């Protein structure tokens, strides 16, 4: 998941080791012939081309330029590109569309360094896409700036002080219409691949039927009653009162409230 | 007080007797907090008999001074100093400056604005 690995697949192309495979005829874009990793196929034409290109590159000493020249001379029908999954890494993260727009999860990411934060936001968005979650963001929230001023030296040299600050950057990613389980999986995945120097905080909401509380009551009310009875015994007046007792008690209470002891 | 002190050293920062004392005060306060709160509640509850409240007052005043929250003082984890300690870093201003300049505090930079 480290960032340099992202660049690795491109390196052979840049160095001209792998030729950009031209398509012979108009082959559909999804065909495997177009994939870059298919360059090891036993195509004699290709092999010859490869060796020639290598020779050219070794003689001219600038593989990229020769490659570009070749490309420019080739007709339009020859399409070449990376596999889609690889290409997606260099493009904006894909997004799902929310059908209803009910927010189900607010993920706040915090960091002191913008690079890590941006990278991890990107990662989170991609993960959300593949989990079929509609993610919105990253919304930049206000920075938190904390500053401290300390004397540089001992007490008497109060005149020369130094300022320090810590800026916390925050980003918000909101999931809409997410299934609670999918949201949990997403959060767990992000936690598993937690990036250094990034803090995460999530608010999760679950939606259910209107009479959900009623159902809950019905199922739990009996159990809680049993549990609470033993506790209630210690609360208030445990002994039963007769009407006379009650009247007397009320009278004393009234007297107390009036200020009498 | 030695009765509050743990038999084995149970803190990992810079240690001197003042630090250890402060640490044992914190632990004593934590242990006695429910009792203190209960007594405070009894004292303030005007519906209770005056006698009960007076007894509660006496009990609260007779509790050990180590169980009082006011006995706790923030101290520097690097030098044990009690003054000029930055709450956010538990360090005195000088230690904070040294650590910040050395880059040991994540996100803390020299500021200019």
């Amino acid at each position: 998941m480290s960032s340099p690995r992202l660049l690795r697949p491109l390196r052979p192309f840049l160095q001209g080791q792998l030729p950009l495979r031209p398509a012979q005829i108009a082959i559909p874009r999804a065909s495997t012939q177009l994939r870059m990793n298919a360059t090891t196929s036993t195509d004699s034409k290709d092999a010859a081309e490869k060796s020639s290109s290598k020779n050219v590159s070794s003689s001219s000493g600038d593989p990229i330029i020769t490659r570009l020249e070749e490309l420019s001379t080739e007709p339009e029908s020859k399409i070449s590109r990376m596999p889609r999954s690889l290409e997606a890494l260099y493009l904006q993260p894909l997004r799902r569309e929310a059908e209803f727009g009910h927010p189900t999860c607010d993920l706040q990411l915090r960091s002191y360094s913008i690079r890590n934060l941006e990278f991890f936001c990107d990662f989170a968005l991609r993960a959300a896409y593949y989990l079929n979650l509609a993610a919105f963001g990253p919304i930049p929230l206000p920075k938190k700036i904390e500053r401290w001023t300390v004397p540089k030296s001992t007490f008497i040299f109060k005149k020369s002080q130094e300022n320090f600050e810590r800026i916390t950057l925050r980003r918000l990613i909101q999931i809409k219409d997410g299934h609670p389980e999918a949201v949990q999986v997403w959060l767990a995945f992000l936690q598993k691949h937690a990036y250094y120097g990034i803090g995460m905080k999530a608010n999760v909401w679950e939606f259910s039927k209107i009479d959900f509380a009623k159902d809950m009551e019905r199922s739990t009310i009996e159990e809680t009653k049993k549990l609470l009875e033993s506790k209630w015994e210690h609360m208030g007046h445990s002994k039963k009162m007769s009407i006379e007792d009650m009247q007397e008690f009320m009278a004393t209470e009234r007297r107390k409230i009036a200020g009498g002891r | 007080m030695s009765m509050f002190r743990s038999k084995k050293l149970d803190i990992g920062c810079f240690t001197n007797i003042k630090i250890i004392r402060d640490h044992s005060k914190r632990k004593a306060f934590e242990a006695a907090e429910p009792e203190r709160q209960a007594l405070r509640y009894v004292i303030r509850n005007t519906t209770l008999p005056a006698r009960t409240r007076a007894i509660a007052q006496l009990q609260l005043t007779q509790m050990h001074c180590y169980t009082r929250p006011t006995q706790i003082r923030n101290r520097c984890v690097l030098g044990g100093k009690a003054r000029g300690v930055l709450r956010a870093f538990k360090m005195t201003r000088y230690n904070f400056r040294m650590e910040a300049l050395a880059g040991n505090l994540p996100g803390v930079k020299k500021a200019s604005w």
Side-chain angles (χ1 to χ4, degrees):
Chain A
M1 218 188 66
S2 57
S3 44
R5 199 183 289 169
L6 288 180
L7 286 175
R8 215 165 279 158
L10 261 196
R11 206 171 285 154
F13 299 114
L14 293 176
Q15 290 167 350
Q17 289 164 358
L18 293 171
L20 294 166
R21 246 182 86 88
Q24 274 82 19
I25 337 158
I27 302 167
R29 284 171 68 87
S31 103
T32 48
Q33 279 290 307
L34 277 175
R35 304 256 158 156
M36 284 311 149
N37 46 19
T39 43
T40 48
S41 62
T42 54
D43 195 340
S44 59
K45 249 189 188 177
D46 247 51
E49 204 181 88
K50 212 190 282 179
S51 59
S52 69
S53 75
K54 262 189 184 169
N55 291 340
V56 168
S57 66
S58 60
S59 58
S60 67
D62 202 341
I64 297 166
I65 289 173
T66 51
R67 210 76 319 266
L68 287 175
E69 278 169 1
E70 271 179 34
L71 273 180
S72 60
T73 53
E74 276 161 8
E76 283 179 352
S77 64
K78 295 176 180 177
I79 312 152
S80 67
R81 61 164 184 80
M82 291 179 277
R84 274 204 193 285
S85 56
L86 188 57
E87 198 179 14
L89 292 177
Y90 296 90
L91 304 173
Q92 288 285 317
L94 297 165
R95 284 162 203 268
R96 304 275 178 194
E97 272 188 26
E99 196 182 340
F100 305 107
H102 296 305
T104 51
C105 176
D106 264 356
L107 179 73
Q108 202 183 106
L109 302 153
R110 288 186 183 190
S111 176
Y112 303 130
S113 86
I114 186 81
R115 256 179 84 101
N116 291 359
L117 193 65
E118 295 279 306
F119 175 75
F120 198 69
C121 282
D122 195 79
F123 176 75
L125 288 180
R126 285 169 203 278
Y129 174 79
Y130 289 113
L131 279 169
N132 221 344
L133 292 168
F136 288 79
I139 306 154
L141 299 173
K143 291 188 277 187
K144 283 177 83 179
I145 305 181
E146 294 159 282
R147 288 204 176 95
W148 299 272
T149 304
V150 292
K152 275 189 174 181
S153 182
T154 42
F155 177 75
I156 54 161
F157 301 112
K158 172 78 172 164
K159 267 189 180 177
S160 61
Q161 302 200 22
E162 207 162 12
N163 291 310
F164 291 95
E165 70 179 348
R166 184 170 67 182
I167 303 174
T168 316
L169 304 151
R170 302 188 290 170
R171 292 284 185 280
L172 182 77
I173 294 176
Q174 193 173 55
I175 299 284
K176 282 178 181 167
D177 299 341
H179 190 271
E181 259 179 46
V183 169
Q184 289 296 331
V185 168
W186 182 62
L187 291 174
F189 182 72
L190 292 186
Q191 212 165 33
K192 187 188 170 192
H193 297 280
Y195 204 53
Y196 68 92
I198 288 184
M200 289 184 281
K201 177 176 92 172
N203 290 334
V204 182
W205 296 282
E206 280 187 29
F207 292 85
S208 41
K209 287 177 189 169
I210 289 172
D211 53 352
F212 171 71
K214 234 186 241 170
D215 287 350
M216 203 167 69
E217 261 178 32
R218 217 173 294 141
S219 61
T220 54
I221 206 160
E222 297 304 317
E223 292 170 28
T224 42
K225 251 189 187 172
K226 271 180 214 161
L227 286 173
L228 279 179
E229 261 168 21
S230 59
K231 309 275 178 198
W232 281 121
E233 277 174 12
H234 303 293
M235 300 291 286
H237 302 281
S238 53
K239 59 181 175 187
K240 302 248 172 169
M241 281 195 203
S242 65
I243 297 171
E244 287 80 32
D245 289 341
M246 183 63 89
Q247 277 171 343
E248 201 186 318
F249 174 73
M250 296 295 280
T252 55
E253 276 299 295
R254 243 175 272 138
R255 216 183 321 133
K256 254 187 210 169
I257 290 162
R261 295 279 166 188
Chain B
M1 291 286 158
S2 59
M3 67 226 188
F4 291 110
R5 202 178 301 150
S6 62
K7 300 290 172 283
K8 260 174 79 177
L9 192 67
D10 57 347
I11 33 175
C13 62
F14 172 88
T15 43
N16 60 29
I17 186 58
K18 291 173 200 162
I19 288 252
I20 293 170
R21 199 173 291 147
D22 184 64
H23 184 63
S24 40
K25 278 176 186 174
R26 280 167 196 267
K27 284 197 299 183
F29 168 66
E30 194 197 358
E33 196 187 358
E35 199 187 335
R36 287 194 83 86
Q37 293 296 351
L39 289 173
R40 272 156 53 83
Y41 171 77
V42 170
I43 291 165
R44 275 146 231 257
N45 192 345
T46 48
T47 63
L48 291 170
R51 187 182 165 75
T52 321
R53 293 170 62 192
I55 290 170
Q57 273 182 356
L58 283 175
Q59 279 182 1
L60 189 66
T61 50
Q62 276 163 11
M63 283 180 80
H64 199 278
C65 71
Y66 268 37
T67 60
R68 272 180 221 146
T70 51
Q71 292 276 320
I72 293 167
R73 171 98 197 171
N74 290 342
R75 284 185 164 271
C76 175
V77 290
L78 292 183
K81 244 184 75 153
R83 290 176 186 234
V85 179
L86 298 184
R87 192 172 278 250
F89 299 97
K90 300 183 187 177
M91 261 180 236
T92 48
R93 51 170 210 242
Y94 183 71
N95 280 319
F96 164 72
R97 182 170 165 263
M98 285 291 113
E99 294 296 311
L101 290 176
N104 292 338
L105 306 174
V108 177
K109 283 178 274 183
K110 287 240 314 175
S112 80
W113 69 93

